[in-house]
Amino acid sequence: MAEEKESTSVPLSQAANGGEDPEDPAKSPPSSPNSSTRKACCFVLQSWVSKKFMTGCVVLFPVAVTFFITWWFIQFVDSFFSPIYDQLGFDIFGLGFITSLLFVFLVGVFVSSWIGGTVFSIGEWFIKRMPFIRHIYSASKQISSAISPDQNTTAFKEVAIIRHPRVGEYAFGFITSTVILQRDNEDEELCSVFVPTNHLYIGDIFLVNSNEIIRPNLSIREGIEIIVSGGMTMPQTISPLERVARQNDRIPLNRIT
């Protein structure tokens, strides 16, 4: 009697489904081809939308950053003279910005003259006597001198590539000066190479033999752009100046032959 009761006891869910187990994949009804096609189309559409959205973000991000920085710069420069125009009753946006640019231009013209250079030298003499401000001024002046159109002795001389810190690795730097190392046998010419470690404000000084320095065909401004941008403006090919000079010397010979 007990065996008969066990054999006749069937769960209600299985009894409603005719005794079939709904969790058994072998007994579950097969999915229709329409549902599989719908899932594939949804996946393709989702991937296409996400890809195009990321493409739009990649394109618009530098544009948005450029406009934001430009707008901030215009407002910052405009704020120098705009309060003066507000007191005079001229509420015109951009007038202070134009005045600031004109002021910078006039300062450049004035400092380029003999009287302006003398006044600037006197002011610079007072600034260099201040304990803390003179260090900030000296660092800022070195950076501005590097990109100044009037090259002088304080500017970066050349862009240099040195082997640093290990064999097979190179570092970008700027040649600032040369020094003669006197030895017992012979004198050695060394170049003082400034290798920035934090954009252009902080860096290390290396004394490298002039024959071991690679001088690429890059200007000072191009070298600064490479360092400030983190290497994103690096050209695809870099050639030493010696190789470029040899190629230029071979061009007339090839044309003659």
Side-chain angles (χ1 to χ4, degrees):
M1 294 296 292
E3 294 179 355
E4 293 178 357
K5 291 181 179 179
E6 292 178 358
S7 61
T8 57
S9 60
V10 179
L12 295 177
S13 60
Q14 293 184 6
N17 296 330
E20 297 180 355
D21 189 3
E23 297 181 357
D24 191 359
K27 298 180 180 180
S28 61
S31 59
S32 61
N34 295 331
S35 62
S36 301
T37 305
R38 192 181 302 108
K39 291 181 180 179
C41 292
C42 292
F43 177 76
V44 172
L45 181 62
Q46 183 181 0
S47 62
W48 182 82
V49 170
S50 60
K51 183 178 180 180
K52 297 304 178 182
F53 181 80
M54 291 303 299
T55 303
C57 291
V58 170
V59 172
L60 292 178
F61 178 75
V63 177
V65 171
T66 303
F67 275 101
F68 176 78
I69 295 177
T70 304
W71 181 255
W72 173 84
F73 177 75
I74 292 175
Q75 289 182 333
F76 176 75
V77 177
D78 184 77
S79 62
F80 286 102
F81 289 94
S82 59
I84 300 176
Y85 289 111
D86 293 338
Q87 295 293 332
L88 296 177
F90 296 99
D91 190 8
I92 302 175
F93 179 76
L95 188 59
F97 177 77
I98 297 175
T99 307
S100 300
L101 296 181
L102 183 61
F103 176 75
V104 173
F105 174 75
L106 294 177
V107 168
V109 174
F110 177 72
V111 173
S112 300
S113 62
W114 180 80
I115 300 176
T118 304
V119 174
F120 180 76
S121 300
I122 296 173
E124 190 178 33
W125 184 84
F126 281 105
I127 292 176
K128 289 183 178 181
R129 295 299 182 273
M130 299 180 181
F132 178 72
I133 299 178
R134 62 183 179 183
H135 300 289
I136 301 176
Y137 178 78
S138 299
S140 303
K141 185 178 180 181
Q142 289 178 359
I143 297 172
S144 62
S145 299
I147 61 176
S148 174
D150 299 329
Q151 296 294 332
N152 48 36
T153 56
T154 60
F156 294 151
K157 306 296 183 182
E158 297 178 81
V159 179
I161 299 177
I162 62 174
R163 292 178 174 86
H164 173 75
R166 293 182 294 269
V167 178
E169 296 183 3
Y170 299 88
F172 264 101
F174 301 95
I175 299 177
T176 56
S177 61
T178 57
V179 60
I180 302 299
L181 179 62
Q182 295 181 350
R183 292 184 174 183
D184 296 335
N185 299 330
E186 59 180 357
D187 297 340
E188 183 179 3
E189 182 181 0
L190 302 178
C191 293
S192 177
V193 181
F194 174 72
V195 178
T197 56
N198 183 13
H199 293 293
L200 291 175
Y201 301 98
I202 302 174
D204 299 325
I205 303 296
F206 297 95
L207 294 177
V208 186
N209 192 301
S210 60
N211 297 325
E212 297 179 359
I213 295 177
I214 302 174
R215 294 172 170 84
N217 57 338
L218 298 173
S219 62
I220 299 297
R221 295 187 179 182
E222 291 175 341
I224 292 176
E225 290 178 357
I226 292 173
I227 292 176
V228 172
S229 64
M232 291 185 291
T233 60
M234 181 80 68
Q236 294 182 353
T237 57
I238 297 178
S239 301
L241 292 177
E242 295 81 2
R243 182 177 179 180
V244 176
R246 289 196 300 267
Q247 291 178 354
N248 294 333
D249 293 338
R250 293 175 183 174
I251 292 177
L253 296 177
N254 296 332
R255 290 179 178 178
I256 292 174
T257 55

